[in-house]
């Protein structure tokens, strides 16, 4: 089902992760799973698991995104 997965990342579902998730998906990462859990209003969470081929991982990953945030491209 999931061929050529080289690397995975697990994200808790937060609005702040939306930009990072979209960047990775645009660069070839795939959604492997979405997990939602809610026992009651106080005990609820969600996770998104992304996977990347070696090519997609080398093109964009969390380390590269973090480095670009610290040293933004002036162009």
């Amino acid at each position: 089902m999931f061929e050529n997965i080289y690397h995975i990342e697990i994200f808790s579902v937060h609005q702040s992760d939306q930009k990072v998730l979209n960047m990775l998906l645009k660069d070839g990462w795939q959604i492997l799973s979405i997990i939602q859990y809610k026992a009651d209003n106080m005990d609820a969470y969600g996770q998104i698991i992304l996977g990347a081929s070696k090519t997609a991982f080398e093109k964009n990953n969390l380390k590269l995104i973090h480095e670009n945030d610290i040293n933004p491209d002036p162009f």
Side-chain angles (χ1 to χ4, degrees), residues 8-49:
I8 65 167
E9 292 288 348
I10 301 172
F11 295 88
S12 294
V13 179
H14 297 285
Q15 185 71 20
S16 61
D17 291 334
Q18 182 177 351
K19 180 180 175 183
V20 172
L21 291 168
N22 283 329
M23 290 173 68
L24 294 173
L25 290 169
K26 286 177 185 175
D27 285 332
W29 287 62
Q30 300 173 26
I31 296 174
L32 302 180
S33 182
I34 298 174
I35 301 166
Q36 297 176 319
Y37 174 78
K38 182 177 179 181
D40 55 45
N41 287 336
M42 299 300 290
D43 189 17
Y45 67 88
Q47 292 180 320
I48 297 175
I49 302 171

Side-chain angles (χ1 to χ4, degrees), residues 54-73:
K54 186 172 184 175
T55 303
F57 179 77
E58 290 172 348
K59 182 176 182 182
N60 200 3
N61 59 64
L62 295 180
K63 182 179 178 186
L64 292 174
I65 290 170
H66 178 70
E67 287 172 355
N68 287 335
D69 281 346
I70 293 171
N71 301 308
D73 185 2

